[in-house]
Amino acid sequence: MTGVQTCALPISPFNIHIVAGLRNHKNCNNAVINVHVGDRTYRALADAGANITLMHSDVARELKLPIHPDSVTASGVNQNQISIIGRTATILRLGSYDYKHCFHVAEDITHEISLGTDFLSKLGDVTYNFTKGEFGARGEVIPMGECETKFAVRTVCQVSIPPFSEVAVIAQIDTANSKLQPKSYCFEG
């Protein structure tokens, strides 16, 4: 197959730096950034937990990109199968840099583009600064979307949430003292 870029790209080692805090900060619930393909702007999730880069099939069709058959299978964070219908290659602009990259084209993803580690490794060290709502790569700062300003909260007892986990904490909020009282986590000793 001439002219078809293979998606088997080597992944270079890179570091991910994460900055997060709770005092008068922006709350960015995910790392969604603007990227450019051709003359269009798309919302892309910079997903350090994904191995491959995905493009929604609607985006590929809108850009009139050829979609080549692909036998890759993928699953999401909940082990739900992602329907990969093929692959395509195009140039993506992030900040002031252009990157030619292979995208797996999917029908059932929530973002227009999802940048996996196969793409993020091209950037060298990257920084997710959730406190300021910024994504940093190659010395450039790119604003994250979907952020809202939050106020500081303190817990009235120590609460430990294991790393690499998501926990829904059911709580009462004491707005007069800016305290969060987790229910059933605080025990009198």
Side-chain angles (χ1 to χ4, degrees):
M1 284 189 182
T2 58
V4 177
Q5 180 180 359
T6 177
C7 292
L9 300 173
I11 296 179
S12 305
F14 69 108
N15 293 314
I16 298 172
H17 307 277
I18 298 175
V19 180
L22 282 178
R23 187 155 303 281
N24 298 327
H25 70 290
K26 286 187 171 185
N27 179 34
C28 300
N29 57 10
N30 56 38
V32 176
I33 54 178
N34 283 339
V35 298
H36 308 278
V37 181
D39 62 350
R40 298 175 192 245
T41 302
Y42 295 98
R43 305 292 288 148
L45 174 65
D47 189 352
N51 293 327
I52 61 173
T53 294
L54 300 170
M55 177 182 287
H56 197 286
S57 58
D58 292 344
V59 172
R61 288 184 189 107
E62 179 180 324
L63 293 167
K64 297 181 175 39
L65 296 173
I67 300 172
H68 305 283
D70 200 357
S71 60
V72 169
T73 58
S75 59
V77 67
N78 297 337
Q79 301 305 318
N80 295 336
Q81 286 296 118
I82 297 173
S83 177
I84 306 286
I85 62 168
R87 70 180 184 284
T88 193
T90 191
I91 295 173
L92 178 137
R93 176 171 285 261
L94 177 62
S96 60
Y97 292 93
D98 289 338
Y99 303 91
K100 183 164 185 169
H101 195 71
C102 177
F103 297 82
H104 296 278
V105 181
E107 294 280 352
D108 52 359
I109 57 175
T110 57
H111 292 86
E112 295 170 312
I113 294 173
S114 178
L115 304 172
T117 55
D118 61 333
F119 178 83
L120 295 173
S121 68
K122 293 179 174 184
L123 306 177
D125 292 353
V126 297
T127 301
Y128 292 83
N129 189 329
F130 291 99
T131 302
K132 293 182 179 179
E134 298 172 342
F135 177 83
R138 290 198 160 182
E140 295 186 324
V141 175
I142 298 152
M144 288 184 201
E146 301 179 14
C147 300
E148 56 187 42
T149 302
K150 294 287 185 183
F151 62 91
V153 294
R154 297 182 312 268
T155 59
V156 295
C157 67
Q158 183 173 344
V159 177
S160 295
I161 299 173
F164 309 108
S165 66
E166 291 185 32
V167 176
V169 179
I170 300 169
Q172 297 172 319
I173 299 175
D174 178 355
T175 54
N177 298 310
S178 295
K179 289 186 179 178
L180 183 67
Q181 171 74 48
K183 291 184 179 179
S184 76
Y185 285 106
C186 298
F187 301 100
E188 299 293 324

